[in-house]
Amino acid sequence: MNEKIFSQLLDATRGIALSAPQSTSLVLQLLCWWKLSNKPGALPEELHIAHLLDRDLNEQHEALRQVQDHVGFVFIDESVWQNLHGSRDIAPLLQRINALAGQGFFDNLNLDDAAFWSADRRDGVPARAPSLNDLLIALAGVDATQQVYVPWEASGQLAARVARCGAHAWIEAQMPMLTAQLLILSGSAQWTLKANDPITNPSALERGKLIRFDTAVCHPPMGLRYSHEVVEGDLLGRFVEKTPVGSVLQIRHLLAQTRGRIVMAVANGVLFASGSERQLRERLVEAGQLEAVIALPAGLCSHTGIPLSILVLNAQGGAESVRFVSAATEAFTERAAKKRIELKNIDTLLAEIAGRDTTDHAVSVSRQAIADNDYSLEVGRYVLDEAARQLEHVLQRYEMRKLSEFFEVIRPRQHATSASGAEVFEVQAQDIPAYGYICSASKEALFDLGSAKVSTYFIRPDDVLMTFKGTIGKTGIAQDVPDSEEGGWIAGQSLTILRSKRPDMYPPKALLTYLRSDMGQALLRHIAVGATIPSIQLSALKELEIPVPSADEMNRMVQAFELETQIEEQIQQLRTKQAAIAASLWTA
């Protein structure tokens, strides 16, 4: 009902030369005026909207400015009014507001998600599905007794929800106008709104120290980086990791500004990236400050299609395990109107997050087990889908050993295209056949033959090559390759070389057969991270446990590969013969 009312009000702005965000802002500004006019004692009688419905545009605009002065918060977007040409522009909207109000439709009006309903990927503010915001507020346990911190608020969705709970909200937003509009419409007076960036210029200070709030809930902006001066010049002792990476600094700021629970939606890169993100993850886990990680489906954001995850932190620490939950399943996801994605069964999901037992969707994992996974927080590492559970059951029949015990994992040579160096050829993903040996390297490149360990990067006979970025797990093996010199073959940037240390104990062709199998592919998908461009971290590949079959089984695997290769050669011969059948009939 709320969205339908909002849609009707937006329809009343058609014909005005306004962008989608400006139309939304105009509707919200006039609704704020109506809300304040109907709040006892908020405005003098002469400023009530009902007294100015029939005035000209300049009088209406000036009256609204006086309303804003009484409120003390900027909620008027002057650029909208500059695009209006007369009172006739907004007359249909004012009439619609008056009519709906008279019919009682505004008595319980809730427009907290107006930014999401009107979202335009080109110029709208980032907004999130209502169900995601509801989940964040429920996880934070917001109630009227709390002081709640809401930084980086762009859409106003979380701030308005916190205000409606009766809590006192301290909100920071770089562009606070939309948030101010929704807070006024919430009817609450228990909020403070500041225009600032919390990292570079925190506002919640008292005597040179950060005010610590009971709870924090937020959608931090993704992909930000800060200058070295911001980190080194911090006077509040917030930043343990000296890094420009925004996600790390955001989490550190929240821990410094909050004394209790923190609930935040983050890009999935935070869960597995190396460097300072990895250092942060280790410290959070070992300090017991990470309570839960919840994987979300793609499509919950208006401005990006990438999937996100929720981190539940507690500044006090003390968590002995981390709860991993997958909400990116049919049990918790549904397609809503206008092809949107929403979360469903929120109460059941909350019970999964709060639980301790292992279920199809959740598991509690000890600190040590997370450390054994190099502090990766990807939910898929711990919550197994049906295919992964079946794989785990089958692999129980075998001795499991780390891949790095038998194979050296060689990163592709990091080189830039230049005008000098020896000519070499890169094997690309498209050069890896479904069966048989790798027969070509399709990309020309230049390579410095004088660099350190140069021979390591040239492909050798019996090297297994596997894609680890983009397309995951496409695997082939080399046989007849040029010498390790000019004209030699090297691996492309999306491939790693798996070079045998002990071919007598684990033949490369046996590994190839396993990695190409449904079981091997399922294992590789399980350790992949990222959604937009999936990848396998080579450190994780080294730690990957592979089955060690008996010598007889490995021999059968090698024979299977050789038979596949023979059949592939026969197919290629038949194709050549096939192409030649009619080729001689029509020649010059």
Side-chain angles (χ1 to χ4, degrees):
M1 178 63 74
N2 290 310
E3 185 174 1
K4 288 183 179 179
I5 292 172
F6 181 66
S7 179
Q8 288 191 15
L9 294 172
L10 280 180
D11 286 345
T13 68
R14 289 182 178 179
I16 310 175
L18 298 176
S19 65
Q22 286 179 322
S23 294
T24 297
S25 181
L26 178 60
V27 169
L28 294 178
Q29 289 174 65
L30 296 182
L31 285 175
C32 285
W33 193 0
W34 173 87
K35 183 76 173 182
L36 293 166
S37 296
N38 287 273
K39 185 176 181 180
L43 298 176
E45 186 72 19
E46 64 270 17
L47 290 180
H48 285 197
I49 191 171
H51 296 303
L52 292 125
L53 292 176
D54 299 324
R55 303 294 179 86
D56 67 38
L57 185 67
N58 289 333
E59 288 182 274
Q60 291 169 338
H61 188 191
E62 180 56 34
L64 189 57
R65 285 172 171 163
Q66 292 180 48
V67 169
Q68 180 173 266
D69 291 340
H70 277 80
V71 175
F73 296 98
V74 175
F75 67 89
I76 300 177
D77 184 348
E78 294 291 348
S79 69
V80 171
W81 292 85
Q82 291 170 6
N83 286 327
L84 301 177
H85 298 96
S87 58
R88 286 182 299 179
D89 281 356
I90 64 170
L93 177 55
L94 286 171
Q95 291 166 6
R96 193 64 184 147
I97 290 173
N98 195 43
L100 290 171
Q103 294 169 330
F105 284 108
F106 288 177
D107 291 351
N108 296 299
L109 185 64
N110 183 329
L111 298 184
D112 296 354
D113 297 304
F116 184 75
W117 297 331
S118 63
D120 187 312
R121 289 174 184 267
R122 292 167 297 173
D123 53 9
V125 300
R128 281 81 179 179
S131 55
L132 172 55
N133 292 297
D134 291 341
L135 177 60
L136 292 178
I137 294 296
L139 284 171
V142 175
D143 62 44
T145 67
Q146 294 177 327
Q147 288 189 316
V148 181
Y149 183 47
V150 190
W152 301 290
E153 183 67 329
S155 68
Q157 292 172 282
L158 287 174
R161 282 170 166 80
V162 170
R164 288 184 189 276
C165 289
H168 186 282
W170 187 290
I171 304 138
E172 293 174 318
Q174 287 186 290
M175 300 181 67
M177 189 178 303
L178 172 59
T179 299
Q181 293 166 354
L182 295 178
L183 285 167
I184 291 169
L185 290 174
S186 75
S188 170
Q190 300 297 308
W191 49 273
T192 301
L193 179 60
K194 299 289 185 179
N196 64 288
D197 181 327
I199 299 297
T200 59
N201 184 32
S203 66
L205 295 168
E206 190 174 79
R207 296 182 179 180
K209 293 183 179 181
L210 292 168
I211 297 171
R212 302 197 74 190
F213 297 94
D214 299 313
T215 305
V217 58
C218 60
H219 292 290
M222 296 179 286
L224 293 186
R225 295 180 73 83
Y226 289 87
S227 69
H228 175 76
E229 290 75 15
V230 169
V231 179
E232 293 298 331
D234 178 52
L235 301 176
L236 300 168
R238 293 175 291 172
F239 307 131
V240 178
E241 294 79 17
K242 305 304 180 185
T243 175
V245 178
S247 58
V248 175
L249 303 183
Q250 289 160 358
I251 291 172
R252 282 299 178 192
H253 170 75
L254 287 164
L255 288 168
Q257 192 89 71
T258 312
R259 57 172 172 261
R261 175 167 281 195
I262 300 162
V263 181
M264 58 191 300
V266 300
N268 286 341
V270 177
L271 308 180
F272 58 80
S274 59
S276 59
E277 288 106 323
R278 192 257 179 223
Q279 294 173 355
L280 174 66
R281 294 194 302 271
E282 178 177 357
R283 287 166 177 156
L284 292 177
V285 170
E286 293 305 324
Q289 292 177 309
L290 179 63
E291 294 185 342
V293 184
I294 302 104
L296 299 171
L300 292 173
C301 301
S302 66
H303 59 295
T304 176
I306 67 172
L308 305 176
S309 292
I310 296 172
L311 296 184
V312 181
L313 305 167
N314 196 315
Q316 295 181 2
E320 295 296 331
S321 62
V322 177
R323 187 72 169 168
F324 289 91
V325 182
S326 176
T329 67
E330 291 183 0
F332 302 114
T333 305
E334 65 181 352
R335 189 168 291 280
K338 300 180 181 179
K339 298 182 180 180
R340 296 171 180 156
I341 298 297
E342 289 282 359
L343 298 173
K344 65 179 182 179
N345 300 326
I346 299 294
D347 289 343
T348 303
L349 179 55
L350 288 168
E352 290 276 17
I353 297 167
R356 294 286 183 181
D357 296 337
T358 298
T359 70
D360 289 347
H361 306 291
V363 62
S364 295
V365 181
S366 68
R367 294 181 192 175
Q368 185 57 54
I370 297 172
D372 291 343
N373 277 287
D374 196 33
Y375 296 96
S376 171
L377 300 180
E378 276 264 314
V379 171
R381 285 284 186 96
Y382 308 99
V383 181
L384 305 182
D385 58 21
E386 182 60 29
R389 286 194 292 270
Q390 292 178 359
L391 172 63
E392 192 175 62
H393 178 72
V394 171
L395 292 180
Q396 287 177 355
R397 303 200 305 261
Y398 294 95
E399 175 191 1
M400 304 297 292
R401 303 272 289 276
K402 291 181 179 180
L403 176 70
S404 57
E405 292 186 36
F406 302 103
F407 292 86
E408 183 182 0
V409 178
I410 300 173
R411 293 179 176 273
R413 176 69 174 173
Q414 300 298 312
H415 61 88
T417 301
S418 63
S420 62
E423 184 179 82
V424 297
F425 297 90
E426 286 187 13
V427 174
Q428 303 290 295
Q430 64 265 25
D431 297 322
I432 297 178
Y435 302 100
Y437 293 99
I438 298 170
C439 298
S440 64
S442 59
K443 182 180 178 181
E444 296 182 6
L446 297 177
F447 195 62
D448 180 10
L449 297 180
S451 59
K453 299 182 179 179
V454 65
S455 64
T456 302
Y457 299 103
F458 280 99
I459 296 170
R460 304 173 186 175
D462 284 338
D463 277 351
V464 175
L465 276 72
M466 189 190 82
T467 56
F468 68 97
K469 285 191 292 189
T471 301
I472 295 295
K474 191 174 184 181
T475 312
I477 191 169
Q479 185 185 42
D480 297 325
V481 296
D483 293 334
S484 300
E485 56 187 25
E486 186 169 358
W489 290 3
I490 62 174
Q493 297 301 295
S494 66
L495 283 85
T496 182
I497 298 173
L498 307 178
R499 180 166 293 157
S500 180
K501 298 178 181 178
R502 298 293 304 276
D504 55 324
M505 293 184 65
Y506 213 120
K509 293 171 185 175
L511 177 69
L512 174 74
T513 303
Y514 170 67
L515 293 179
R516 279 183 171 177
S517 70
D518 290 343
M519 188 181 300
Q521 289 292 296
L523 186 69
L524 294 173
R525 287 194 299 271
H526 180 58
I527 66 170
V529 296
T532 307
I533 304 177
S535 64
I536 296 176
Q537 294 175 301
L538 296 188
S539 58
L541 191 61
K542 293 176 183 178
E543 298 297 311
L544 177 67
E545 291 198 338
I546 58 174
V548 183
S550 67
D552 287 343
E553 287 178 293
M554 286 199 186
N555 187 47
R556 289 198 297 272
M557 293 165 73
V558 172
Q559 290 176 353
F561 171 80
E562 297 292 359
L563 180 58
E564 288 176 353
T565 302
Q566 291 174 16
I567 294 172
E568 181 66 17
E569 290 174 352
Q570 292 169 7
I571 290 172
Q572 292 302 323
Q573 291 171 4
L574 288 172
R575 284 176 176 161
T576 301
K577 184 176 180 180
Q578 183 183 49
I581 290 175
S584 61
L585 297 180
W586 293 94
T587 58

